[in-house]
Amino acid sequence: MELVFEEMSPAERIRHVQRLWDSIAAHPEEVPVSDEMRAELTRRLADHRAAPDDVVSWEDVKAQTRSGK
């Protein structure tokens, strides 16, 4: 079965993307991680451990995004 995304409604395309993402997320050990990505994750974890209280809540992030700041 060949999927022609251009012929699908936006809602149908979103459902297909969600199913695709779910199938990838079901096996995270199979997702390749580049050396650059691993280094960035290591850097971010070190930053967090150095200042664990230096965070922004999800509610604040959403509010800032909605306000355009």
Side-chain angles (χ1 to χ4, degrees):
M1 175 180 137
E2 182 177 328
L3 297 176
V4 182
F5 292 104
E6 292 77 19
E7 295 175 6
M8 294 178 183
S9 71
E12 290 172 314
R13 286 183 275 173
I14 290 169
R15 279 193 298 276
H16 279 286
V17 169
Q18 288 173 329
R19 287 179 50 206
L20 176 60
W21 182 255
D22 290 345
S23 72
I24 293 168
H27 304 283
E29 69 282 356
E30 295 177 7
V31 177
V33 179
S34 70
D35 291 340
E36 293 81 9
M37 290 169 70
R38 193 175 311 282
E40 179 64 15
L41 291 169
T42 299
R43 183 194 67 75
R44 290 181 185 198
L45 183 57
D47 284 352
H48 171 67
R49 287 181 175 152
D53 295 326
D54 189 16
V55 297
V56 178
S57 73
W58 178 236
E59 290 75 23
D60 288 344
V61 171
K62 288 189 294 186
Q64 289 171 6
T65 301
R66 291 183 178 135
S67 71
K69 293 182 182 178

